[in-house]
Each structure stands twice: as C-alpha cells, then as structure tokens.
Amino acid sequence: MARKPARQAEPALTKPPAPQREVRRAQVDVNFDNQSLLGALFGQFDANLVQVENRLGVFISARGNAIHIEGPEDSVARARDVLNEMYDRLAMGQDLDAGAIESLIAMSNEPTFDGIIDGKLSDAKGGPPIMIRTRRKTIVPRSAMQATYMRSLVRDDIIFALGPAGTGKTYLAVAQAVAQLINGSVQRLILSRPAVEAGEKLGFLPGDMKEKVDPYLRPLYDALYDCMPPEQVERRLASGEIEIAPIAFMRGRTLADAFVILDEAQNTTREQMKMFLTRFGQNSRMVVCGDPRQVDIPGGGGMSGLADAVGKLEGVDGFGTIRFTAADVVRHPIVGRIVEAYEGPNA
C-alpha cells in the first residue's frame, strides 16, 4: 500500500508591522512682560529650563524676554503651559524650586491641569482659589489629588488621608489647621501621633515626659515651623493654643473648637482609633493621616485601627477619604520612583 506523502507545513503568515504613528512636531514662542522675574524663571545656569527640557523631551532657547520651544506637538504645548504657570507663580510671590517645577510637569498631563494651575475649582460655577495662606507662605496644590484633598480639608468634618510618604498628607493638614487658627475659625490646634518605634528598639529615652515623646512628634513640629514664625509657634505652644501630644493623652477629652490631626494613624490599634474619633466635638475638624502599607505595630495591617476605621466609616456622611499614590509624591522625583519600586505604581 502506497504511503501518503507527508503534509507540507504551510509557511507561517507574517504579520505586517503596524504603521508607526507620525509624531507631529511644533514650535512656539512665549513672551514674558516682567524681565525682573526671568532670572528666577530660568534658574541658575538655566537649570529650570533644562529640567523642563529633560522631562518633556523638548528644546528650549531663551533670548531676552522670549522663550522658543521646539519638539513633539503635545510636549511643546505642555512645556508652554508649565512655563506660563512658573512665571505666574513667581509674579504672585510664590516659591519656585525643583520640586514645584516637577509637580507642575506632572500635573500638565492631567485633564484638569488648567483648573488646578489657575487655582480654581473645576466645577461649572467656579469657586474660591484652591490655596492655603499661612503667615510664612501661600500653599497651592502640587498634584490633582492634592487639589481634591485641599477641598476636602475645608468641606468635611473628618478626613482620612491615605497614601505613601511624600504626598503632603500631614503637611497640608497642618497648613490648613494653622490657617484656621490664625483666622479664628478654631481656637486650638491639636497634633497627635502614636509613639511607636519604626522597626527598631530605642530603649528608654532620658528626660521628662515631653523630652521622651518629642522625637516621635518631630515631623509635626517641622510642619508647624514651616507655616509659622518660630516665635509664634513657641508662644502658642506655651499658651496651649497649639498642643502636640501622643494619642494616649487624648483619652477622656472632648476636643471642641479645635482642628485635630492624627499622624501615622496606621500604627494605632482599633481601640485607640475608636477612642480618638469619639473625641470629636462641636465646631471641630479632624484629619487622620497614615500609610496603610507602613504598619509598625505587632500583628501588622490586620491590627491597624486606620484600616478598620476606613472600612467602617468610608461613605458615611461627614467623612471624606483621600487616597494618594506614588504618582502624587511631591518630594524629590526619586522618592516617587523609590515608592513605586518597593510598592508598585498604585501604592
């Protein structure tokens, strides 16, 4: 019986390469009226312009009070908006450092960028500026989520601010608290955090009770001194208008006419968190800040009072929940990359 010839393998079909999308190039000139601001706008040795160039992939040249931008069309448009906002901030007397520029570059990719940089609410009716004025500086949002957070700080009674380090959770809360203390809408500012060691045993600390707990509360002092002159901070601490204490000192109190901030809340137990939240009094606002992924108490995240409280109270009337991610980090850009490398892009 004749054997059937082996079936020839059909030649593999090769998929034609997808046509590459043509990148449209553009160039634009931007003129600035106030030449006295150009030195700060360009930065030392044009460092600010170089930062925008490197991050957006454009070429920027300056001549007199005009800046010429060339590159991909989308990037040129973003660079133009960022430079205009940098100039506007300088014109309003605001600080412009590498961190602020990095934040503007990051926000320039947001669909709400125009609303954020103009300092306006994004609703159709417009609204008050999104900013916090303190004695030492005027603070504006550095990310879209910070803008949402700053709205929540003036709207909600109790706010949960969740996310990694460097997103401005505690700093913006302290700034808002200082602003309300200065304008008289609250009578006291109370800052608290659990005295929990972060992964190492420090042993017995010398000194009285204040000296023992102050190292744990140092970040809160740092934020205060950044928003108020040191002599005012010291005077208000002495008078009791500003109080900084461990969460254990909150038991049995009713915190009325106060702006109350709990930092590092992921290191509270469920019992501590319930105790703290029930201190809420008339004409008060409470902000609870923490990173659910950085729990230092025994038992880990399963024992954290922050996660438990958010699960029980999120969506309840009067509560606001803000979730920051690694994309919202407003410290040095490398901090955001560190957080993303350790915890993922949605950390």
Side-chain angles (χ1 to χ4, degrees):
M1 183 173 178
R3 189 175 179 183
K4 291 183 180 179
R7 185 176 177 183
Q8 296 287 331
E10 296 181 2
L13 296 177
T14 57
K15 189 175 180 180
Q20 292 187 346
R21 180 174 173 266
E22 182 182 356
V23 178
R24 297 181 59 182
R25 298 188 65 82
Q27 51 184 310
V28 68
D29 292 308
V30 186
N31 294 289
F32 299 103
D33 297 330
N34 190 343
Q35 293 198 19
S36 66
L37 299 178
L38 297 185
L41 178 68
F42 296 171
Q44 189 174 20
F45 304 116
D46 293 342
N48 295 346
L49 301 185
V50 171
Q51 183 178 355
V52 176
E53 279 185 323
N54 292 340
R55 289 285 281 107
L56 295 179
V58 297
F59 172 77
I60 300 175
S61 60
R63 177 172 294 179
N65 67 333
I67 289 180
H68 181 75
I69 311 170
E70 294 183 25
E73 188 175 43
D74 291 346
S75 298
V76 167
R78 289 177 63 189
R80 177 200 60 210
D81 292 344
V82 168
L83 289 167
N84 279 324
E85 173 58 12
M86 289 165 58
Y87 176 83
D88 289 344
R89 289 196 177 188
L90 289 170
M92 291 188 291
Q94 297 177 14
D95 295 332
L96 187 65
D97 55 20
I101 296 169
E102 184 68 26
S103 299
L104 289 173
I105 293 169
M107 283 194 295
S108 69
N109 207 27
E110 295 280 346
T112 55
F113 180 63
D114 290 339
I116 295 171
I117 65 171
D118 290 340
K120 298 294 184 182
L121 292 172
S122 57
D123 58 27
K125 299 178 181 178
I130 307 175
M131 61 178 62
I132 300 172
R133 296 184 184 277
T134 68
R135 289 283 168 82
R136 299 196 69 173
K137 58 174 61 179
T138 297
I139 300 164
V140 295
R142 290 190 170 192
S143 73
M145 190 56 69
Q146 279 198 357
T148 302
Y149 183 37
M150 290 167 72
R151 294 188 194 104
S152 182
L153 286 172
V154 297
R155 180 188 65 225
D156 298 314
D157 295 323
I158 299 179
I159 302 104
F160 293 110
L162 315 175
T167 51
K169 305 183 300 295
T170 303
Y171 184 85
L172 291 176
V174 171
Q176 180 64 33
V178 167
Q180 291 195 209
L181 182 66
I182 291 171
N183 67 29
S185 24
V186 296
Q187 302 303 313
R188 291 182 296 164
L189 169 52
I190 300 173
L191 309 174
S192 183
R193 65 186 288 177
V196 175
E197 296 160 333
E200 56 183 315
K201 299 298 181 184
L202 301 178
F204 291 101
L205 295 173
D208 58 20
M209 181 58 70
K210 182 178 184 301
E211 291 171 327
K212 289 179 186 295
V213 299
D214 271 1
Y216 297 101
L217 306 173
R218 192 73 249 169
L220 298 175
Y221 283 103
D222 291 342
L224 271 177
Y225 286 122
D226 207 38
C227 296
M228 297 179 73
E231 62 276 9
Q232 287 197 24
V233 174
E234 298 301 330
R235 178 172 57 79
R236 292 176 187 266
L237 282 168
S239 70
E241 289 177 87
I242 299 177
E243 179 182 349
I244 303 179
I247 190 172
F249 287 26
M250 299 296 110
R251 189 174 296 278
R253 304 175 61 183
T254 299
L255 306 176
D257 296 306
F259 199 114
V260 189
I261 299 170
L262 175 61
D263 193 26
E264 299 292 336
Q266 76 276 5
N267 288 327
T268 59
T269 63
R270 296 175 185 178
E271 292 75 17
Q272 284 176 322
M273 180 61 74
K274 178 183 176 183
M275 178 272 293
F276 181 81
L277 293 174
T278 53
R279 302 307 93 199
F280 191 83
Q282 293 291 331
N283 189 38
S284 290
R285 178 159 286 118
M286 187 175 281
V287 184
V288 179
C289 306
D291 181 356
R293 301 193 182 199
Q294 297 289 332
V295 179
D296 298 311
I297 58 174
M303 300 300 295
S304 173
L306 176 61
D308 182 64
V310 173
K312 285 181 168 68
L313 298 171
E314 186 171 12
V316 174
D317 187 39
F319 286 81
T321 303
I322 305 296
R323 286 183 168 85
F324 293 96
T325 69
D328 299 304
V329 172
V330 294
R331 291 182 186 168
H332 192 285
I334 201 169
V335 176
R337 295 196 285 271
I338 291 170
V339 172
E340 186 171 335
Y342 272 89
E343 302 178 12
N346 296 317

